[in-house]
Amino acid sequence: MKKKPYLTPQFFVTSLVGLALLLVFSFAIALLYGSEKIPSHLTFAATLNYLLGKPSGLSIELETILFTIRLPRAILAIIAGASLSVAGAALQALLRNPLAEPYVLGVSSGAALGAVLSIVFIESFPFSQPLGAFIGAALTIFIVYVLGQGQRGTSTDRLILAGVITTSFLWAAIIFLLTVASSSKLKGIAFWLMGDLSNSNSRLLFSVLLTNLVSIVIIFLISRSLNLLMVGEESALSLGVAVERIKIIIYLLASLLTGATVAVVGSIGYIGLIVPHIIRMAFSSDHRLLIPASALLGASLLLLADTLARTIISPRELPVGAITALIGAPLFVYLLRRTA
């Protein structure tokens, strides 16, 4: 196996710059392609004019497609991809398990159940959907962690089994709620549950952006403690890490990232599993690089997956969760066999 370089400042900056360029490329692809292709020279000129407050120079139809539909959707994909990737990396450090991920552990399903409960029963309450999703995600992490405990601690097999059992129960509850939901809400909820990036509510989008950005920054600031926690709790404690406090912080922030994201885009699986593993294999397992690199790559991957979902059967649209599942499920099987 090729030995990974040490995390020098030069390697850190070079890696992040490369991933940032990939994100810019993915963002451009997301703006250019869809059921209606907009020429690249028009897109870039119009976007620049839009940012400078000048007339875009596009027709009303193309301007609506670019700035009302695609631009907010691309921004939402960046937020969701970065958040789910960082949540996955944080959970893997918290549980010291390479297969820990919001979707696999049922955390996304818990958040989805909380959000659906709020939609069906208390939709009029301000920010009820993100709040319900956060509570659902936090409770699910706790339940799965407790169920995954054995006489010899937490094992990969027990955690995955606990996640599968919990997810099955949660989806049964979601299906029951769908049967009692009004017909006007049913179709929208069903599509949202499979992953939907078309929610362009600007106030909710800004709230999720602010909340998730702060959460990612906090996780990055404690990345050194995550490195020590991966070695073992006793070793981390002996090196001055406040283990219980760090665990609570990660537990809450991973729940917040997952809950806020699922509340807006639904249950999108495997991003939190795929991305941290790619970063570890290609760059470094040091969380000082892993956290920001996962955010950048996760944003790029979800942008490209959503572009594919919008174009593969155009003018119809696939749920983006179907695309990420097609990519992530085989990788999950591969990783499960490696860790078994």
Side-chain angles (χ1 to χ4, degrees), residues 202-283:
S202 57
R203 191 173 73 160
L204 186 59
L205 187 65
F206 177 76
S207 301
V208 171
L209 171 62
L210 184 62
T211 301
N212 289 15
L213 182 60
V214 170
S215 300
I216 291 171
V217 169
I218 294 173
I219 292 174
F220 171 70
L221 292 176
I222 59 174
S223 55
R224 180 180 175 276
S225 297
L226 293 180
N227 287 339
L228 298 175
L229 195 62
M230 289 293 290
V231 178
E233 291 185 14
E234 292 183 3
S235 299
L237 194 62
S238 67
L239 291 170
V241 177
V243 172
E244 291 305 316
R245 186 177 68 182
I246 294 296
K247 287 170 69 175
I248 291 173
I249 290 172
I250 293 299
Y251 166 74
L252 291 175
L253 291 180
S255 302
L256 186 60
L257 285 170
T258 305
T261 303
V262 170
V264 181
V265 303
S267 184
I268 298 176
Y270 297 108
I271 291 289
L273 177 71
I274 299 168
V275 173
H277 279 284
I278 293 175
I279 298 299
R280 288 190 189 96
M281 291 187 291
F283 297 96

Side-chain angles (χ1 to χ4, degrees), residues 251-330:
Y251 166 74
L252 291 175
L253 291 180
S255 302
L256 186 60
L257 285 170
T258 305
T261 303
V262 170
V264 181
V265 303
S267 184
I268 298 176
Y270 297 108
I271 291 289
L273 177 71
I274 299 168
V275 173
H277 279 284
I278 293 175
I279 298 299
R280 288 190 189 96
M281 291 187 291
F283 297 96
S284 172
S285 58
D286 191 319
H287 286 80
R288 292 173 295 176
L289 176 60
L290 180 64
I291 297 301
S294 292
L296 290 170
L297 183 60
S300 299
L301 184 60
L302 194 55
L303 272 171
L304 295 173
D306 183 55
T307 304
L308 186 61
R310 289 188 287 112
T311 57
I312 193 169
I313 57 170
S314 177
R316 298 177 64 189
E317 182 178 317
L318 286 171
V320 68
I323 303 298
T324 59
L326 285 173
I327 299 170

Side-chain angles (χ1 to χ4, degrees), residues 111-134 177 185 189 192 263:
L113 176 60
V116 171
L117 279 168
S118 68
I119 293 171
V120 174
F121 296 112
I122 53 172
E123 188 177 21
S124 60
F125 184 77
F127 294 102
S128 60
Q129 200 168 327
L131 182 61
F134 167 70
L177 288 172
K185 295 179 181 178
I189 293 175
W192 166 79

Side-chain angles (χ1 to χ4, degrees), residues 44-56 63 67-68 71:
F44 299 138
T47 303
L48 181 60
N49 289 335
Y50 179 81
L51 294 175
L52 295 175
K54 300 178 181 179
S56 66
E63 189 174 287
F67 298 124
T68 306
L71 184 60

Side-chain angles (χ1 to χ4, degrees), residues 7 9-20 282-284 289 293 296:
L7 187 58
Q10 182 180 3
F11 181 70
F12 178 85
V13 172
T14 303
S15 301
L16 293 186
V17 168
L19 289 169
F283 297 96
S284 172
L289 176 60
L296 290 170

